[in-house]
């Protein structure tokens, strides 16, 4: 408690100083001007700052900027933009006057100079000791998506973005330098305009974002303490129009067509009957089609009737996007208003998504006091009638059935199979809608005590209301019932964050610079959830709005509350603009942990050396710049649900004679554990940033290692304990890797052709280093003698999710996170051939059946013969981005590579004599196929059939191509616009992988990946 009293004393002194300072200080002036590129054209989104202060701004679309409230004196002003060298100039500010200062940027590769966003502020890149990757607005808006996370895909090394689904409105998964936790979350912290948010990043309009900075190592993330273990994403929005224009209007619109690709080819009727006949011949029964097909299928076969069910549910998807906005400045007040509407229909019937967003910002300066607030509202509706199961239902149908009878009514079981339901009935007889409304804001007040020292308060309220309504009609889906059922769930989440900061950014003499932050913050969260369900809904029109009219009504509700209190101090000292030392300490206290374990401390240290500035390096003329940096520190993750340390109760009913009474008893899987503590991650990073040949080629190389300890894992307990399992801090994992980023200016003729290239490469090795429980070594593979075979956790191997080693659960569904699986299964050696009869007989098999490796050589195939078969973690990923500019035309091409990982083919030919079948080769006495065995009859699964599914998922693709044309200024003027750009974008135009069926990036998603062709235009008035 002593350290907490010290922090409170310091905070009290800060507030006392703020109260003592007058609101009106000395008279100030301003710096204004235009930032242009090497062509002389105004440059938008360039950062402009006064060195040695926190005064900064961003240029508007016309290249203008204004830096208000600058105290009188002489200053160095710095302008920077990714892809250009930084520009500096000196300005003398006079009280009450505006100083005009224009700046010119020269094309360069990604720079080691300029300004970058860091936690709780900005910092010159020369003094940054941590690993920070940045993407700016011009790159973000190239991707035709509503989700800013998807716009990050393939752009930054060590930042892995994958689709969590392919339906309209589905989310994306983002992982920064791998995953750390086995049972807890691995999502990064998202901070918008300095305020950590509780919701998702896709609630923000991509067009309203200036830049996204990703913090990856301890030097950059530890200041966020318990929330920084999985990395931090800093989003800077346009805010209150930081440009210098008086008023401007912006408008844009785009339209896209989308089509699914990679769909598997299904057997036609003749191929299907041939497979049944081959199976019958193998089984020694009649091969007459009439004996192998039901009456409906046989009649269709005789009539030559065939239905392509995938084509029947497929449609061309459409995507529409429109945005409008205006921003301006009036005296000391700036404002920004914007709105966006996004609408998308899926590549299958019954799938839709639409979203509307609105943003309003205002920023006012009065003397030494600056106030600002930005409010964001989002409403979205996702319709997923049929959902991912729709494509599966289409593939389940054979080609013999037709969707409707002669009266036009949908047929329940089109091909006569009582377990194969009509996919169109699944769409029309079901309504599934997810609504989401979110209102969040970031407000600040900043008071300048004196130049380079200020007090700042950030406040961020965040409210989300989300609901999910589902109605299922009678006889609609596989396993369905003859009655109607409905469910409705709703959750509301309110969170607020309040941070109080003292910030110092000052030069001391000519050789010393200090950048320091002292913070005290609180965060509180309240989540309310309720749901209801009923069956026997009386009529279809009721949907999920009249659940009370049904029978067997069930209801559930819950409330969770949590709080976090934090203290943080950070200091960055730079000597001679060459040597930088950074130190930070953060202390967090979380309400979800038990007394005695609520508080923990996260320290970090970082260093940087501008080696290229040393005199002894000047003889290397080809070396333009060289910075060495390194960091070490700790971050954490509370990773525990509220009240989990207190244990939980289960409820049920107990009969007392003829009386039934409710009863409560300890939950056997969640005993009280007051010793639960933080998951902790120790991070080390060593890196070099460099520039060559006049900075025509720049880059960085980062090596890192992250050790996560006190991992939360479930430990089995003996029955005598009264509980079956308990959650404890007993596991550990490690991530280590290498990241390379290069940027080059290949051609730079402003009057002819400009060509730039950006390349990134990343390798990450994820491994478990400690577990709660170890199986008998006979159940573990040779490569991992310490393991928990039941959960598929192997020391020395990557994290496995799903709680099992089999790829599918008992219902035939894929289990776990498709990007975090380690495969441990029987290894297929091929198919037993006619010449192997004697050897096959030893294992109870015969030619035409799958041949499994007898790993331990005991002549028996059982669980002891399972082997590790790879994992879904790529050995390396890379991306190559090329941009070209020829006069008013521009072209960009993005290529992505994911290499060296294993996936399980969820579209494996089942060959079990029932339902639709994928067109494939299989074993017969005259076709000795060595992958697929002889087919079965009557829906009998193939013995060891899943062993065929492990395949190389390595792939490369042209992710995106965009071609654009910007009207020359004189032509734009004649059209009465400041600027106008039209463009066309192709998304996923080419994908290369070595197996058939769905895209390997979405191998376990029920909906296929789609290609897009989009056209659009953006204008500024």
């Amino acid at each position: 408690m002593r350290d907490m009293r010290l922090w409170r004393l310091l905070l009290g002194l800060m507030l006392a100083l703020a109260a003592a300072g007058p609101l009106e200080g000395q008279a100030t002036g301003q710096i204004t001007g235009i930032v242009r590129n090497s062509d002389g054209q105004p440059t938008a989104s360039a950062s402009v700052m006064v060195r040695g202060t926190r005064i900064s701004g961003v240029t508007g679309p016309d290249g203008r900027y204004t830096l208000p409230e600058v105290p009188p004196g002489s200053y160095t002003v710095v302008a920077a933009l990714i892809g250009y060298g930084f520009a500096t100039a000196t300005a003398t500010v006079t009280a009450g006057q505006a100083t005009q200062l224009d700046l010119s940027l020269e094309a360069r590769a990604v720079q080691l100079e300029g300004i970058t966003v860091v936690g709780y502020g900005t910092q010159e890149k020369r003094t940054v000791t941590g690993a920070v990757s940045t993407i700016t607005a011009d790159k973000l808006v190239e991707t035709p998506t509503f989700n800013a996370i998807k716009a990050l895909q393939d752009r930054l090394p060590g930042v892995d973005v994958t689709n969590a689904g392919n339906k309209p409105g589905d989310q994306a998964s983002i992982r920064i330098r791998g995953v750390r936790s086995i049972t807890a979350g691995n999502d990064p912290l998202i901070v918008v305009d300095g305020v950590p948010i509780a919701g998702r990043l896709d609630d923000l309009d991509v067009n309203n974002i200036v830049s996204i900075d990703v913090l990856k190592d301890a030097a950059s993330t530890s200041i966020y303490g318990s929330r920084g273990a999985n990395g931090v994403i800093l989003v800077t929005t346009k805010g209150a129009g930081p440009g210098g224009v008086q008023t401007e209007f912006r408008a844009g619109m785009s339209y896209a067509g989308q089509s699914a690709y990679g769909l598997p080819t299904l057997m036609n009727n003749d191929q299907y009957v041939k497979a049944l006949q081959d199976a019958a011949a193998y089984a020694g029964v009649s091969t007459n089609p009439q004996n192998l097909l039901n009456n409906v299928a046989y009649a269709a076969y005789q009539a030559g009737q065939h239905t392509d069910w995938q084509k029947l549910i497929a449609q061309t998807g459409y995507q529409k996007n429109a945005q409008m906005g205006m921003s301006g400045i009036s005296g000391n007040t700036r404002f920004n208003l914007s709105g966006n509407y996004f609408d998308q229909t899926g590549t299958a019937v019954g799938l839709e998504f639409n979203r509307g967003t609105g943003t309003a910002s205002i920023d006012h300066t009065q003397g030494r006091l600056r106030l600002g607030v930005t409010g964001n509202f989002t409403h979205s509706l996702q319709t997923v009638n049929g959902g991912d199961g729709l494509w599966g239902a289409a593939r389940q149908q054979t080609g013999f059935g037709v969707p409707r009878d002669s009266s036009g009514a949908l047929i329940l079981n089109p091909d006569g199979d009582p377990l194969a339901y009509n996919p169109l009935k699944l769409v029309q007889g079901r309504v599934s809608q997810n609504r989401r409304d979110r209102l969040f804001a970031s407000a600040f007040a900043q008071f300048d005590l004196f130049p380079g020292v200020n007090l700042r308060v950030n406040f961020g309220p965040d409210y989300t209301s989300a609901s999910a309504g589902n109605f299922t009609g009678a006889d609609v889906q596989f396993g369905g019932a003859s009655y109607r059922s409905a469910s409705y769930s709703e959750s509301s989440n309110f969170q607020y964050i309040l941070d109080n900061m003292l910030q110092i950014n000052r030069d001391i003499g000519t050789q010393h610079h200090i950048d320091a932050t002292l913070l005290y913050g609180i965060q509180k969260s309240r989540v309310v959830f309720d749901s209801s369900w009923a069956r026997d809904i009386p009529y279809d029109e009721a949907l999920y709005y009249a659940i009370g009219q049904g029978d067997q009504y069930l209801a559930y509700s819950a409330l969770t509350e949590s709080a976090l209190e934090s203290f943080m101090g950070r200091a960055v000292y730079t000597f001679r603009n060459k040597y930088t030392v950074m130190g930070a300490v953060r202390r967090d206290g979380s309400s979800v942990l038990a007394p005695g374990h609520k508080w923990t401390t996260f320290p970090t240290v970082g260093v940087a050396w501008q080696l290229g500035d040393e005199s002894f390096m000047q003889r290397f003329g080809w070396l333009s710049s060289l910075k060495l940096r390194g960091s070490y520190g700790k971050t954490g993750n509370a990773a525990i649900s509220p009240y989990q340390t207190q244990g939980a109760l289960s409820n049920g009913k107990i009969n007392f004679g003829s009386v039934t009474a409710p009863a409560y008893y300890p939950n056997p899987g969640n005993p009280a554990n007051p010793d639960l503590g933080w998951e902790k991650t120790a991070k080390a990073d060593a890196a070099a940033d460099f520039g060559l040949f006049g900075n025509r080629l720049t880059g960085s190389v980062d090596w890192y290692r992250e050790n996560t300890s006190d991992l939360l894992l479930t430990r089995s307990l003996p029955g005598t304990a009264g509980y079956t399992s308990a959650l404890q801090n007993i596991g550990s994992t490690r991530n280590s890797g290498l990241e390379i980023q290069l940027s080059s200016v290949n051609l730079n003729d402003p009057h002819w052709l400009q060509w730039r290239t950006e390349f990134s490469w990343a390798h990450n090795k994820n491994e478990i280093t400690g577990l709660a429980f170890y199986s008998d070594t006979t159940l573990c593979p040779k490569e991992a003698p310490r393991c928990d075979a039941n959960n598929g956790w192997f020391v020395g191997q990557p994290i496995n999710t799903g709680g099992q080693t089999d790829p599918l659960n008992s219902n035939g569904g894929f289990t776990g996170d498709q990007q975090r699986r380690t495969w441990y299964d029987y290894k297929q050696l091929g198919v037993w051939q006619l010449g192997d009869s004697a050897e096959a007989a030893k294992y109870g098999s015969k030619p035409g059946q799958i041949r499994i490796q007898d790993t331990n050589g005991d002549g028996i195939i059982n669980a002891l013969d399972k082997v590790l078969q790879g994992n879904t973690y790529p050995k390396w990923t890379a991306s190559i981005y090329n941009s070209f500019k020829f006069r008013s035309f521009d072209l960009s091409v993005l290529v992505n590579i994911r290499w060296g990982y294993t996936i399980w083919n969820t579209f494996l030919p089942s060959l079990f004599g029932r339902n639709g079948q994928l067109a494939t080769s299989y074993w017969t006495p005259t076709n000795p196929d060595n992958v697929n065995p002889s087919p079965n009859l009557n829906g009998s699964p193939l013995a060891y059939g899943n062993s065929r599914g492990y395949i190389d998922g390595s792939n490369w693709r042209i992710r995106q191509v965009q071609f654009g044309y910007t009207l020359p200024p004189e032509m734009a003027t004649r059209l009465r616009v400041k600027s106008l750009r039209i463009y066309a974008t192709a998304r996923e135009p080419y994908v290369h992988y070595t197996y058939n069926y769905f895209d390997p990036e979405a191998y376990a998603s029920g909906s296929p990946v789609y290609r897009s062709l989009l056209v659009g235009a953006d204008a500024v008035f």
Side-chain angles (χ1 to χ4, degrees), residues 133-144:
S133 294
T134 302
I135 181 172
T136 52
D138 57 330
K139 301 295 192 304
L140 288 170
V141 297
E142 284 184 0
T143 303

Side-chain angles (χ1 to χ4, degrees), residues 779-790:
L779 298 175
C780 299
K782 291 186 301 180
E783 305 92 326
R786 294 189 301 156
C787 78
D788 179 345
N790 184 54

Side-chain angles (χ1 to χ4, degrees), residues 129 218-219 222 581-584 603-607 630-633:
T129 62
S222 65
V581 177
M582 186 279 295
T604 188
V605 62
V607 295
S631 66
Y632 178 81

Side-chain angles (χ1 to χ4, degrees), residues 266-273 276 293-294 296-310 312 393-403 414-417 420 914-918:
L266 300 178
M267 290 183 177
N268 60 34
N269 290 358
D270 291 335
Q271 291 171 323
Y272 192 86
V273 170
L276 291 178
L293 299 171
N294 62 47
V296 173
Y298 184 71
Y301 176 63
Q302 290 291 95
Q305 163 63 41
H306 178 78
T307 300
D308 186 333
W309 289 92
Q310 289 188 123
L312 194 65
R395 289 190 297 274
Q396 189 181 38
Q397 288 291 325
T398 63
F400 300 114
V402 293
D415 65 1
D417 188 331
R914 191 174 187 176
N915 299 336
Q917 293 295 318
L918 276 65

Side-chain angles (χ1 to χ4, degrees), residues 623-647:
L623 182 65
S624 308
S625 54
L626 177 62
K627 181 174 82 170
L628 305 181
R629 53 181 169 84
S631 66
Y632 178 81
K634 292 186 177 181
T635 58
N637 188 350
I640 300 171
S641 302
Y643 325 120
Q644 193 164 3
T645 61
Q646 302 174 19

